[in-house]
Amino acid sequence: MMSSMFIGATGMKAFGEGMGVVGNNLSNVNTIGFKQSMALYQDLVSSFVTADSNNITNISQKGMGSAISMDRTLFTQGAFQPGSANTDVAIQGKGFFGVSKDGKTEYTRAGNFRFTMEGELVDPSGWTVLGRTIDKNGNEAGSASPITLDFSNSTGGIGYTPGQASSWVQSVSQLGGLQDKAQQAGNPFFAMAASWNGTSNPPLGVGQFSYSEPIEFYDAAGNRQKATIYYDRADTVDGMNIVEYMIAMDPALDGSSRAGTESAGLLMAGTITFDSGGTMQGLSAFTPPAGGSPADLAAWLPAGVKNGMPEFSANVKDAGEQRVGLDFGLRLPGNASQGLASAADAATNASKLATPINGATRQQMVTTAWGNSPASRSQNTDGFGEGYLRDVTIGEDGMVKGVYSNNQTLELARLVLYRFTSQDGLRKEGGNHFAATEDSGEAQEGIPGKENYGTLAQRSIEQSNVDYAREFTQMIITQRGFQMNSKIVTTSDQMIQKALELKR
């Protein structure tokens, strides 16, 4: 009877500890990244009892009760809920974030991170998140370290990014319905260019072009500048329709040798060849005279070509010179002269302008002569002005990016994930942290989304994986188990009391 009382007491103790596991799970139902536990029960050592000789075996044992063998953590995926900042991230799949403080490293599934005033990316407990730094050239470090960013606008800081000069400008248009307004005897293809006068205001009269489009580019200092592309219908040669174009900027901003002359502000002039269906077949481009009169067509020389685009030289006052490619949507295989030594040769060799360029390739967006009225279809440039840090985001691959006021993004760092040979061997440290142990093995560092590491969900946090239904069911089972074992104790006590009464 004494042993039965002991057995009941062990059961009460085991189920009491089991209720603690259930209670801990339910108390952390709203804890970010929390992983629920499961109490595993085991029986205690059994004692041998003398067996009767008539038994099948000579082994007879009597149980001595139960106990909690272990409190196992269940690392199942928790549901996601929207975060409140761009630095909230959740892990979808395997892995843990690494966090560091005072030289000690721990691991967590809770990704509710924030930047401090000093630029450290920390969790709510003040531990700094580990990641790989990325330098100004885009080179990523090979191993992780605490993420600390310099948000200042000073040299080396990420709060400011300088502008970038344009190396190309795209202007794709629909040029149907153009009229031939600029006309000069003996000059059917460059009448607009010959009519330009950089010393007049305006330098090109309204009656000297059929259609114009403003374009923007960024000068060598990263400042936004404006220019204009003028279009006019030219001649029809061998069934091909020729359109002349000219690109120019404000003569007052010209910092080249053309400043103060009639050629001031000119950047480029040429022709575009269309077949009868309005499809672009050819392109010519010439750079203006270094000075003097634009009417000297012999001084208009073939423009250079880079990456299939004719280039013009933009020398903005106080900013310096830069080379800018002009993209109409047709990539040229060689030069842009179409066999002409200068713009003056076009009048006597018009058939060269009308000949489609072999090897030229049309892009997805290309200038056409469709429709009955001209219009712009697409304009773009690779340049941009100076910008200031507006926000920081974290992508699915862990990339930490700065978003700037000039619509540019800059890669600043990358979050890494850690996995273990046995994550069941991790030790809970509180504050949503785990520590590596000999049972878990060493942490293995990797990049989100690669080599069986999980991906990151942007602007999300992982909720606790506690299952309400499971925990309440387990609570009832645990409560009943405790009650039944307490009944064993009270019943055994009554039996002992009855035995003592018999002695009296």
Side-chain angles (χ1 to χ4, degrees), residues 291-304:
S293 173
D296 183 9
L297 298 184
W300 287 80
L301 302 179

Side-chain angles (χ1 to χ4, degrees), residues 160 162-165 218-225 318-320 322 384-386:
Y160 166 83
Q164 174 180 294
Y218 290 86
D219 63 26
N223 300 314
R224 183 168 60 180
Q225 303 292 346
D318 300 327
Q322 68 190 97
F384 52 84
E386 64 180 11

Side-chain angles (χ1 to χ4, degrees), residues 99-101 104-106 121-129 433:
V99 290
S100 175
K101 187 176 184 180
K104 184 179 180 181
T105 300
E106 294 183 352
L121 185 62
V122 300
D123 70 359
S125 300
W127 290 60
T128 307
V129 184
H433 289 185

Side-chain angles (χ1 to χ4, degrees), residues 273-350:
T273 302
F274 299 97
D275 61 20
S276 58
T279 302
M280 190 174 180
Q281 299 291 339
L283 171 70
S284 70
F286 299 88
T287 57
S293 173
D296 183 9
L297 298 184
W300 287 80
L301 302 179
V305 174
K306 185 176 182 180
N307 297 325
M309 295 178 287
E311 287 187 311
F312 60 84
S313 173
N315 192 329
V316 180
K317 190 178 296 184
D318 300 327
E321 183 180 11
Q322 68 190 97
R323 305 290 297 179
V324 182
L326 184 59
D327 182 12
F328 286 123
L330 185 72
R331 294 292 183 269
L332 304 177
N335 61 47
S337 67
Q338 293 198 213
L340 302 176
S342 69
D345 292 342
T348 55
N349 295 279

Side-chain angles (χ1 to χ4, degrees), residues 460-477:
S460 301
I461 52 177
E462 183 182 6
Q463 296 176 297
S464 166
N465 67 346
V466 174
D467 185 339
Y468 292 95
R470 176 187 178 278
E471 295 306 315
F472 278 103
T473 301
Q474 193 64 34
M475 182 188 297
I476 295 172
I477 294 173

Side-chain angles (χ1 to χ4, degrees), residues 170-220:
Q170 180 196 55
S171 181
V172 175
S173 305
Q174 177 179 294
L175 300 178
L178 292 179
Q179 301 178 21
D180 188 2
K181 291 189 176 182
Q183 298 183 9
Q184 285 187 351
N187 179 21
F189 304 110
F190 292 92
M192 278 195 308
S195 302
W196 178 271
N197 187 349
T199 62
S200 300
N201 188 18
L204 187 66
V206 176
Q208 298 297 317
F209 62 93
S210 181
Y211 174 65
S212 66
E213 287 180 357
I215 61 171
E216 293 183 346
F217 66 94
Y218 290 86
D219 63 26

